Amino acid sequence: MNHPGTEPSATSVSSLPRISRRHALIGLAALLAQAGFWSNPLSAAQAPASAPATGLAPATMLFYTLSQTITGHRDLSAATAARIEQAMRTNVPGFADRLPQLGALLVTGQEAKVLLAAATAADASLRELALAIVAAWYTGTVAGNAAQGTKSIVVAYAEALMYRTVADGQVVPTYCNYGPLWWLKAPPAVRVSAPVEPKPVPAPATTGTPEPKGKQAK
């Protein structure tokens, strides 16, 4: 037992539970759900336009539709959805089997919280998959599992939904504050100030004897 003011022993520290990156991302998704970020009108208003989902395989189209519903964002990138789906097939065990099961719970016009509640009632693994999808979209990363020999896969950066939440006051973190790929934009117009004419300076007196300061003329 540790007394107040003393550091914990190595034994007590080693007995603490370790939190994997995968569970941390799922926990982040749960917090986002409780905070109401799935239905953020500001995020939707400032979201960039995306290309329509065309030419997707049926399974990818199902994942895309699930992503739109569970994140609350209808303007998601279809190309990013395909990358996330492929990464989840690699890193998430049982993804191929659970995806159609989660898709069977979809209803037209359904809200994210309703779908999450339906997944929770159906099976705990479906709830976990739904939250993992949210975590992937918000972080732009599909977490890996070291025990299973898989590494985390980065699928998006600027399109990560976590940046939309603060888009009104912060740009996507990069090496500068002009945003990603800023060097592809046209440079700003060159504004050269007009030359400033120097003010004339009176020439110093060269004759006469200066009168001492403070002395009044008689």
Side-chain angles (χ1 to χ4, degrees), residues 1-55:
M1 178 177 181
N2 296 318
H3 296 283
T6 61
E7 296 184 357
S9 63
T11 303
S12 62
V13 173
S14 61
S15 62
L16 294 175
R18 296 181 180 273
I19 301 177
S20 66
R21 176 180 174 84
R22 176 168 171 267
H23 286 88
L25 291 175
I26 292 177
L28 169 64
L31 289 175
L32 290 171
Q34 294 176 0
F37 286 131
W38 283 344
S39 56
N40 188 343
L42 178 62
S43 300
Q46 297 182 345
S50 58
T54 57

Side-chain angles (χ1 to χ4, degrees), residues 61-192:
M61 190 64 200
L62 173 60
F63 179 80
Y64 180 72
T65 306
L66 271 170
S67 297
Q68 289 179 310
T69 302
I70 200 62
T71 64
H73 294 276
R74 300 291 174 176
D75 58 341
L76 298 176
S77 166
T80 302
R83 291 196 296 268
I84 294 178
E85 182 214 2
Q86 185 60 43
M88 297 192 81
R89 288 185 181 276
T90 302
N91 281 8
V92 179
F95 175 83
D97 295 328
R98 286 186 289 166
L99 179 64
Q101 296 174 9
L102 184 60
L105 303 176
L106 275 174
V107 178
T108 303
Q110 190 176 34
E111 293 185 358
K113 294 181 179 180
V114 176
L115 176 58
L116 182 62
T120 303
D123 190 287
S125 64
L126 296 184
R127 171 186 172 84
E128 183 176 310
L129 176 60
L131 293 178
I133 293 174
V134 175
W137 276 103
Y138 267 85
T139 63
T141 303
V142 176
N145 191 320
Q148 299 173 354
T150 58
K151 297 182 179 180
S152 297
I153 302 174
V154 178
V155 293
Y157 177 61
E159 292 181 357
L161 295 182
M162 62 181 175
Y163 296 127
R164 290 193 186 182
T165 307
V166 294
D168 59 330
Q170 181 179 349
V171 299
V172 177
T174 57
Y175 289 106
C176 69
N177 289 331
Y178 296 103
L181 302 179
W182 63 272
W183 56 86
L184 298 181
K185 300 178 182 178
V190 178
R191 293 187 292 270
V192 180

